[in-house]
Amino acid sequence: MKLILFLLWFCVCSFSGTSQNIDSLYAVAKQTKNDSIKLRLYNKVGFGYIFNDPEKAKKVLVEGLRLAKDSNLDFSLTELTNTYGIYFHIKGESDSARYYFENAHKLSRDFEYKDLEAKCINNLGMFNWQTSDFEKALGYFFQSLKMNEALDDEQSTSYALNNIGLIYQEMNLNEKALEYHKKSLLIREKYDLKNDQIASLNNIGINQKQLGRIEEAITTYKKGIDLAKAQNNLSEYYKLLFNLANTYNLSGNLKLALETYLKCLDKPDDYDAEEQFQLHAYNSIASVYNEMDQPKLALTYTAKGFELLKKYPEAELQTAVLYLTTAESYYMLNDFKNARLNKEKFIILKDSIFSEANAKAMADLEVTYETEKKEREILIQRAELAENRLTIQQRNYQIFGLIGLALILVVMGYLLYKQQELKTNQLQKESALKDALLKIETQSRLQEQRLRISRDLHDNIGAQLTFIISSIDNLKYGFDISDQKLTRKLESISTFTSSTIYELRDTIWAMNKTEISIEDLQARISNFIEKADLASDGVDFSFRSNASEIGDLKFSSVEGMNIYRIIQESINNALKYSEATKIAVNFSTEGYLLVFDISDNGQGFDLSTVQRGNGIANMNKRAQDIGAHLDIASEEKKGTTITLRMNTTNDV
């Protein structure tokens, strides 16, 4: 099971201590007269409370933000805004967390607080990592590392190193991940960052377990648990307990694993942070009970998991394995109907995490960073050599000037000044040229990598899918298959594989374009409709577009692909469920809005009573990802209209 980590955000000045110590510091802060010093203390107190008493954290941070605005203290406002984003993230409120992180980043740039900007960039990387945008997250982390190195802030580099290790951890490059986590731990031990050390020990234990070094992992987790207890860091304490239980389970010690899993549920009544994390604990406990041949007990814990899932429906994809564990319990109880239903639900939700090609593409970001660093070092060395030459020449001129008259000294001094100015200008131009060439080379590498991935997808996966279709056809026509059920199953596999090939081609089409014009999108939709028309008897398709009036509109490859997928899903749903005889697709404009309408004259449905499936959820998610708005209008016996509106200005 892929454990979804809930990170601690140590991106402000770390403050470690017990609740009593934090309370004492809060009392000191309230009595401090200097607003600037008071707000720095508020930030430390609020950060400390996040992991011990979230409600107190909110109270302190809100009070601090109000005072910072009233006092016009820009640094404190930026720092507290960043910490408030951490509070919302730990609470699991992603939209609010994103809002405050982006605000803090903007403030840090507007007021030119470089150290805070580096921390905000690191936070944005962590946010994108948790929303599964791994490539963007890794880019933020390397950017944060470079900024902290430039600021000579060794303590802060530990956060970027830790987070880079986490991305490699997601890619199952565990040796690489251990390398970065151990570098981070050494820095955190050097500066006595207790809470940060706990997070590093947790990550190191995870990778040791993945590498099969079970005893090392158990020792590391226990060390982290002891430190978390001493720091009263409940968030990391429960994560370490859960990971230790997983390790006991992996080693075959089911009894000790079960005892440790149950400890993960034994939380104080007033502790409600990371409640979603209990979904994984419920599933693990149920899985152990299944292994102990106690499926009824297992079902009581999966039921608790599904009940909690109602509160956090957005976590369904992350906890898809809960359905598989439930299916296993029902199979053991010979309830095959419920077993199959849960297994089918698991198959629908299960999503792949990383392909080898994508992992390599993101690892190339590290190569880019190392190349930039070496180039910068070379430029610095050249500048130092040039300065040394100028210094020697200047001293020689001074010796000669002492022999001459005062007039010669003035002339020589002037010549030296002009020559130094010329050298400085030359070095600046050379540095600018190097930066431009490096940027072009980086863009070229990224484009080559994109083309290489698309070729691999086409030549390898595409060819394999074609071979599957050919093999199925050979089975149907080469053998006398009298079993109609088997024949239908083979036809279903062939149809599914053909559909996958078309989707693969669509993906390659989008990958090979840095941008997609409205004409490109129109042509792609028109081609899809023609294929649907050929495959569907009794359905009349129409496609209208005023692309000529829209103008030279360009989309990014992500925007173009999401628009195409929404229209494709809408047509497929109409063909599958509506019994429509007419399906119309229309491109139009409403002021600054670009409007896509997909309508049918089918059976329709009652929006208030129908159970919405994954298809509609996926379309809504795609629309949100590109800043568009999706409307669904339907009436029984009168058909359905799906409308996608997208702003064509830069304010999307």
Side-chain angles (χ1 to χ4, degrees):
M1 182 185 75
K2 174 180 177 285
L3 176 61
I4 304 300
L5 300 174
F6 285 86
L7 298 177
L8 296 178
W9 298 68
F10 299 99
C11 305
V12 293
C13 297
S14 288
F15 175 74
S16 61
T18 63
S19 295
Q20 185 176 1
N21 291 336
I22 303 172
D23 291 338
S24 299
L25 187 61
Y26 186 30
V28 172
K30 291 179 74 68
Q31 295 173 3
T32 301
K33 301 299 182 182
N34 185 295
D35 287 342
S36 180
I37 297 174
K38 174 182 286 192
L39 290 173
R40 291 307 304 276
L41 293 174
Y42 270 29
N43 188 66
K44 288 177 178 288
V45 170
F47 183 80
Y49 276 140
I50 286 174
F51 308 102
N52 299 286
D53 192 334
E55 290 309 310
K56 280 189 179 179
K58 181 177 181 180
K59 177 184 175 183
V60 172
L61 293 172
V62 169
E63 184 180 348
L65 285 168
R66 179 187 55 75
L67 179 58
K69 290 177 182 177
D70 293 343
S71 305
N72 293 320
L73 295 173
D74 298 332
F75 182 89
S76 297
L77 178 63
T78 305
E79 188 174 47
L80 286 161
T81 300
N82 183 52
T83 306
Y84 204 29
I86 298 173
Y87 162 79
F88 280 113
H89 185 77
I90 294 299
K91 291 284 288 182
E93 299 179 25
S94 299
D95 290 340
S96 295
R98 182 199 296 273
Y99 172 81
Y100 284 100
F101 286 145
E102 290 178 349
N103 266 10
H105 185 212
K106 182 178 183 303
L107 289 169
S108 68
R109 286 184 300 175
D110 291 346
F111 299 128
E112 297 184 355
Y113 299 134
K114 295 297 182 182
D115 55 339
L116 284 181
E117 184 180 356
K119 294 169 185 176
C120 292
I121 288 171
N122 187 66
N123 281 358
L124 286 169
M126 297 179 79
F127 184 86
N128 280 280
W129 171 60
Q130 286 204 295
T131 55
S132 299
D133 194 342
F134 300 110
E135 186 171 356
K136 191 173 182 180
L138 193 59
Y140 275 125
F141 292 148
F142 277 122
Q143 187 180 348
S144 175
L145 179 61
K146 287 192 291 185
M147 289 192 71
N148 285 317
E149 287 178 343
L151 293 168
D152 197 23
D153 186 357
E154 183 183 31
Q155 180 174 326
S156 295
T157 61
S158 71
Y159 309 126
L161 290 169
N162 177 75
N163 297 333
I164 292 168
L166 289 170
I167 296 296
Y168 284 125
Q169 195 169 306
E170 290 284 358
M171 297 191 298
N172 294 322
L173 300 174
N174 301 104
E175 289 289 359
K176 193 76 172 175
L178 269 177
E179 175 188 340
Y180 279 92
H181 286 312
K182 288 181 177 179
K183 287 180 182 178
S184 178
L185 180 60
L186 287 175
I187 295 172
R188 291 169 172 183
E189 289 175 340
K190 177 179 178 180
Y191 292 96
D192 196 31
L193 305 174
K194 300 293 187 184
N195 279 317
D196 295 14
Q197 292 173 38
I198 298 168
S200 289
L201 289 168
N202 190 20
N203 294 327
I204 290 170
I206 291 170
N207 286 281
Q208 288 171 335
K209 185 190 73 171
Q210 291 297 106
L211 291 168
R213 290 147 61 173
I214 301 301
E215 293 303 320
E216 290 182 49
I218 291 173
T219 301
T220 302
Y221 286 140
K222 288 182 176 179
K223 182 178 177 182
I225 288 170
D226 291 340
L227 190 55
K229 281 183 179 178
Q231 296 302 118
N232 195 29
N233 189 333
L234 297 180
S235 178
E236 282 292 285
Y237 172 74
Y238 288 115
K239 283 197 294 182
L240 283 158
L241 267 181
F242 185 80
N243 290 338
L244 179 61
N246 285 339
T247 309
Y248 284 140
N249 195 358
L250 183 64
S251 66
N253 194 337
L254 298 181
K255 182 179 179 182
L256 194 52
L258 183 59
E259 291 176 0
T260 311
Y261 281 133
L262 290 171
K263 287 181 182 179
C264 296
L265 302 178
D266 185 17
K267 297 180 179 180
D269 294 336
D270 58 347
Y271 181 77
D272 60 352
E274 302 182 23
E275 188 178 17
Q276 291 185 45
F277 188 73
Q278 291 185 193
L279 288 167
H280 304 290
Y282 287 140
N283 179 73
S284 298
I285 293 169
S287 180
V288 172
Y289 275 127
N290 279 340
E291 289 190 58
M292 298 172 69
D293 200 24
Q294 298 183 58
K296 289 184 178 180
L297 272 175
L299 286 175
T300 63
Y301 281 93
T302 58
K304 291 180 181 180
F306 287 126
E307 187 64 28
L308 184 59
L309 199 57
K310 293 178 182 178
K311 186 176 180 181
Y312 301 102
E314 69 276 7
E316 186 176 37
L317 286 176
Q318 299 172 358
T319 55
V321 73
L322 193 63
Y323 290 97
L324 188 61
T325 303
T326 305
E328 182 183 6
S329 300
Y330 279 123
Y331 274 122
M332 294 173 70
L333 293 168
N334 295 323
D335 187 345
F336 300 114
K337 179 181 178 181
N338 279 320
R340 281 192 295 271
L341 287 174
N342 280 277
K343 184 178 180 182
E344 288 170 2
K345 184 68 174 178
F346 166 76
I347 292 171
I348 292 171
L349 293 175
K350 187 62 179 173
D351 191 12
S352 61
I353 300 173
F354 266 107
S355 66
E356 181 179 351
N358 283 338
K360 187 177 184 301
M362 279 186 279
D364 282 347
L365 286 173
E366 183 186 8
V367 175
T368 301
Y369 163 71
E370 294 295 340
T371 303
E372 289 178 351
K373 185 176 180 181
K374 290 177 182 178
E375 290 288 343
R376 186 170 66 252
E377 289 174 352
I378 291 171
L379 288 175
I380 292 172
Q381 290 174 359
R382 288 182 179 177
E384 289 175 349
L385 288 173
E387 289 174 0
N388 289 336
R389 292 194 194 100
L390 288 173
T391 301
I392 294 171
Q393 189 177 16
Q394 187 175 6
R395 287 174 181 172
N396 289 336
Y397 285 148
Q398 289 171 352
I399 293 172
F400 292 132
L402 291 174
I403 301 173
L405 298 173
L407 180 60
I408 297 175
L409 288 173
V410 172
V411 172
M412 291 295 293
Y414 175 77
L415 290 175
L416 284 171
Y417 169 77
K418 294 302 292 183
Q419 187 170 8
Q420 187 173 3
E421 184 179 43
L422 179 63
K423 287 285 186 181
T424 302
N425 290 335
Q426 185 177 353
L427 285 172
Q428 289 175 346
K429 291 178 180 178
E430 183 176 302
S431 177
L433 179 60
K434 285 286 185 183
D435 290 341
L437 291 173
L438 185 59
K439 184 177 180 180
I440 292 171
E441 183 181 356
T442 302
Q443 291 174 345
S444 177
R445 286 180 182 174
L446 291 174
Q447 182 61 23
E448 289 174 3
Q449 185 66 26
R450 176 186 287 178
L451 293 174
R452 186 156 53 248
I453 292 171
S454 65
R455 284 197 298 269
D456 287 343
L457 288 172
H458 181 274
D459 295 343
N460 296 333
I461 299 177
Q464 291 170 6
L465 291 172
T466 303
F467 175 75
I468 291 171
I469 295 174
S470 176
S471 298
I472 292 172
D473 289 339
N474 289 338
L475 285 173
K476 288 193 295 185
Y477 298 110
F479 296 88
D480 184 14
I481 301 175
S482 58
D483 188 339
Q484 292 299 318
K485 186 176 180 181
L486 177 58
T487 301
R488 287 194 299 272
K489 191 66 175 178
L490 290 173
E491 289 175 350
S492 174
I493 294 171
S494 179
T495 301
F496 177 79
T497 307
S498 298
S499 174
T500 303
I501 291 176
Y502 288 129
E503 292 184 2
L504 179 63
R505 289 173 180 170
D506 291 336
T507 301
I508 293 172
W509 165 72
M511 283 182 64
N512 285 333
K513 291 179 177 290
T514 56
E515 59 182 19
I516 296 172
S517 68
I518 188 69
E519 289 82 9
D520 287 340
L521 182 61
Q522 176 181 315
R524 202 72 185 178
I525 295 298
S526 179
N527 185 47
F528 174 75
I529 290 174
E530 288 176 4
K531 291 178 181 178
D533 192 13
L534 291 174
S536 305
D537 294 331
V539 180
D540 182 22
F541 287 86
S542 64
F543 178 38
R544 298 190 306 276
S545 171
N546 62 343
S548 59
E549 299 175 10
I550 295 172
D552 188 22
L553 183 60
K554 303 287 186 182
F555 303 100
S556 69
S557 59
V558 173
E559 290 173 339
M561 194 61 188
N562 279 336
I563 293 170
Y564 175 76
R565 290 296 190 206
I566 290 170
I567 296 172
Q568 185 185 51
E569 180 70 14
S570 300
I571 294 173
N572 285 336
N573 284 344
L575 291 172
K576 287 181 182 178
Y577 308 115
S578 72
E579 300 179 8
T581 59
K582 292 183 180 180
I583 297 176
V585 179
N586 183 31
F587 287 12
S588 61
T589 57
E590 294 177 4
Y592 291 109
L593 294 178
L594 182 60
V595 182
F596 305 89
D597 280 314
I598 306 94
S599 60
D600 65 68
N601 65 345
Q603 294 296 315
F605 55 90
D606 186 349
L607 289 168
S608 63
T609 60
V610 72
Q611 182 177 358
R612 301 193 177 192
N614 262 343
I616 293 177
N618 288 339
M619 286 193 291
N620 277 313
K621 180 64 169 58
R622 289 182 184 278
Q624 291 175 6
D625 288 346
I626 61 175
H629 183 72
L630 188 73
D631 283 324
I632 301 174
S634 183
E635 188 174 352
E636 292 183 353
K637 306 300 182 181
K638 292 187 178 182
T640 301
T641 298
I642 295 177
T643 304
L644 179 70
R645 291 182 172 84
M646 184 174 181
N647 198 328
T648 58
T649 68
N650 292 329
D651 296 327
V652 174

